[in-house]
Amino acid sequence: MSSSAAIAEPASVKGWCPGALRPMQTGDGLIVRVRPRCGALSVSQMLAVSEVARRHGNGLIDLTRRANLQIRGVDARDLPSLWAALSECGLIDAHADAEAVRNVMVIPLTGIDATEVCDVRPIAARLEAALAETPALWALPGKFGFVVDGGGLLSLDGERADIRLKAFHAEGGIRIAIGIDTTQGTQWLRLLDPEATHAAAVRLATAFVALPKSQPRARMRDLDPSGVGVLREVLARCGAPAGDLPSVNAGACKRVGLIETRGSIVAVGVGAPFGRLTVRGLTRIAETAAELGVAAFRLSPWRVLYAPVTGSREASILLDTARAGGLVTAADDPLLAIDACPGAPACRSASADTRAVALRIAAMMPLPGVTSVHVSGCAKGCARSRAADLVLVAGPKGLGIVRNGSAAASPNAFVAPDDLHDLPAILRPGG
Ligand code: SF4
């Protein structure tokens, strides 16, 4: 395997992300992160990942909030065989640094969603190739990410990114808006011809890397106004000014179950509870998909896998298989409202078994005034960066309760894991 492979940095290193070639040590062994290309894994790649997790891991796989898969519980001695197996199915990059910057999140229904502005997979593919082949870009920070959105039924607007590409209808035809996410939200810079988009994104990323060291620059949102000004100038003569952009997404739609656009079935979406998949569950659905002729799975940051299908019989077989494998298939399942990090014992920083707490919360839903929940093993809040209606943060005093905030906020009250049944009363106004 490549001499660029490196092993196991501690989970506490800030701003650093694991990869396949650069696994990370956690409480239950190494985690090996597999980055799909263009947001999809072929069914045979999915089966290969599942088999690798069975042979070399502890049987658990995470669907992460960057829409990657993570094999858990790997022993360092198994890495050469694991790399060989992943390499055989095209899931290993030539260099660990190239892999690390290939952080491109793609809207999962692109190419099959009749409501989208355009299929953005060619743009994502060119951008991924440029990132992997341009060593100057390997200096991008580990969490620096790109989002590529075709402007259809589903939206990536709520997902964190540094450089954002989104398709719009504009005067003259289809255009891709390019923007950067700053502390003020997304600043759309220009409207570009789709063919010119990936090169513009590369120019922006290159300019970010070249900013003076005096600029705080772990992410775009760390830049001060002068840094943002430099980046605006980089694309000042490309395409047309973006101005105010209308919302192009078809509107709120369900993310799991049968997914239809304009009255036709296009996919089924199956959710991984808290992002957790098992080898058994994943193998079953991948084998069924193979039997039904499904080519690939699309991965989403909201921890739902999409299998493109058009027939109701195929859709129904896949949904039944997913349900039997412990995956979420109903849009109103309370598990979909809860984010929970791996917690103890998988993470050494955790003060509680977060997933067990989350399951108990799911059984109590609906809770008064709560539509989103975040259960975190510590204040780092890995499972969710956006605010949630209810946050439970484990610490030495028990579970800290935060309302409408993040795991880093100061709790207003505490509840012991054994007293969780008191939560509805605590949450009631005046409770
Ligand atoms: S938030 Fe959870 S996974 Fe992240 S460091 Fe804390 S305990 Fe570990």
Side-chain angles (χ1 to χ4, degrees), residues 21-84:
L21 292 172
R22 211 172 263 157
M24 180 188 272
Q25 187 68 53
T26 64
D28 59 355
L30 295 175
I31 51 174
V32 173
R33 182 174 291 178
V34 176
R35 286 181 170 80
R37 295 178 197 280
C38 289
L41 288 174
S42 70
V43 170
S44 57
Q45 285 176 325
M46 197 66 104
L47 284 166
V49 169
S50 203
E51 175 60 11
V52 164
R54 187 188 69 75
R55 291 182 66 166
H56 303 299
N58 61 10
L60 300 176
I61 302 161
D62 296 326
L63 174 53
T64 76
R65 62 191 183 118
R66 296 295 306 172
N68 297 311
L69 285 185
Q70 231 162 233
I71 299 165
R72 299 197 73 96
V74 174
D75 188 306
R77 289 166 298 189
D78 288 340
L79 285 174
S81 336
L82 176 150
W83 285 327

Side-chain angles (χ1 to χ4, degrees), residues 142-215:
K143 290 187 186 298
F144 194 97
F146 300 78
V147 151
V148 188
D149 190 334
L153 190 66
L154 300 174
S155 166
L156 291 173
D157 286 356
E159 305 305 323
R160 282 200 165 186
D162 292 277
I163 295 180
R164 196 173 285 279
L165 305 171
K166 184 160 185 170
F168 286 89
H169 291 293
E171 227 179 276
I174 291 168
R175 292 290 178 267
I176 307 294
I178 184 166
I180 55 177
D181 280 11
T182 68
T183 44
Q184 274 85 48
T186 301
Q187 292 197 24
W188 294 111
L189 305 179
R190 309 293 292 176
L191 284 176
L192 304 166
D193 186 284
E195 290 294 317
T197 306
H198 81 281
V202 167
R203 284 180 65 189
L204 259 189
T206 308
F208 180 87
V209 170
L211 283 170
K213 294 227 180 321
S214 55
Q215 274 287 333

Side-chain angles (χ1 to χ4, degrees), residues 39-395:
L41 288 174
S42 70
V43 170
S44 57
Q45 285 176 325
M46 197 66 104
L47 284 166
V49 169
S50 203
E51 175 60 11
V52 164
R54 187 188 69 75
R55 291 182 66 166
H56 303 299
N58 61 10
L60 300 176
I61 302 161
D62 296 326
L63 174 53
T64 76
R65 62 191 183 118
R66 296 295 306 172
N68 297 311
L69 285 185
Q70 231 162 233
I71 299 165
R72 299 197 73 96
V74 174
D75 188 306
R77 289 166 298 189
D78 288 340
L79 285 174
S81 336
L82 176 150
W83 285 327
L86 291 180
S87 180
E88 244 175 60
C89 59
L91 290 175
I92 290 285
D93 287 77
H95 196 287
D97 291 335
E99 174 193 50
V101 295
R102 205 166 45 74
N103 287 325
V104 181
M105 196 186 286
V106 185
I107 192 73
L109 298 185
T110 193
I112 55 173
D113 175 357
T115 69
E116 75 177 344
V117 177
C118 75
D119 180 350
V120 287
R121 285 175 296 178
I123 295 170
R126 286 188 210 126
L127 177 57
E128 285 187 10
L131 288 166
E133 291 161 8
T134 314
L137 292 174
W138 299 354
L140 283 169
K143 290 187 186 298
F144 194 97
F146 300 78
V147 151
V148 188
D149 190 334
L153 190 66
L154 300 174
S155 166
L156 291 173
D157 286 356
E159 305 305 323
R160 282 200 165 186
D162 292 277
I163 295 180
R164 196 173 285 279
L165 305 171
K166 184 160 185 170
F168 286 89
H169 291 293
E171 227 179 276
I174 291 168
R175 292 290 178 267
I176 307 294
I178 184 166
I180 55 177
D181 280 11
T182 68
T183 44
Q184 274 85 48
T186 301
Q187 292 197 24
W188 294 111
L189 305 179
R190 309 293 292 176
L191 284 176
L192 304 166
D193 186 284
E195 290 294 317
T197 306
H198 81 281
V202 167
R203 284 180 65 189
L204 259 189
T206 308
F208 180 87
V209 170
L211 283 170
K213 294 227 180 321
S214 55
Q215 274 287 333
R217 52 179 181 160
R219 302 291 303 265
M220 279 290 183
R221 58 180 172 273
D222 298 324
L223 295 182
D224 64 23
S226 72
V228 172
V230 169
L231 295 185
R232 277 190 169 280
E233 195 51 34
V234 168
L235 298 184
R237 276 163 290 285
C238 301
D244 290 332
L245 293 169
S247 171
V248 288
N249 298 107
C253 73
K254 66 174 186 168
R255 290 172 163 182
V256 302
L258 200 60
I259 309 294
E260 296 175 284
T261 63
R262 298 202 172 128
S264 300
I265 298 169
V266 293
V268 294
V270 296
F274 320 127
R276 179 55 53 82
L277 296 157
T278 62
V279 163
R280 190 170 150 270
L282 190 58
T283 305
R284 279 180 72 174
I285 190 146
E287 284 176 347
T288 306
E291 283 161 19
L292 295 171
V294 172
F297 285 94
R298 315 284 186 87
L299 289 77
S300 75
W302 43 87
R303 305 177 201 267
V304 172
L305 291 173
Y306 293 92
V309 286
T310 52
S312 54
R313 179 185 151 271
E314 288 84 355
S316 149
I317 292 171
L318 275 172
L319 288 172
D320 288 347
T321 308
R323 210 173 295 118
L327 296 170
V328 177
T329 59
D332 59 355
D333 193 313
L335 291 173
L336 294 174
I338 306 175
D339 289 302
C341 75
C347 178
R348 290 169 176 164
S349 306
S351 299
D353 180 347
T354 46
R355 301 270 163 91
V357 171
L359 285 173
R360 291 184 61 195
I361 301 285
M364 289 178 202
M365 295 282 270
L367 286 164
V370 174
T371 56
S372 57
V373 181
H374 179 186
V375 184
S376 190
C378 78
K380 193 172 169 197
C382 296
R384 182 180 174 114
S385 36
R386 280 172 296 136
D389 295 338
L390 170 66
V391 185
L392 295 173
V393 196

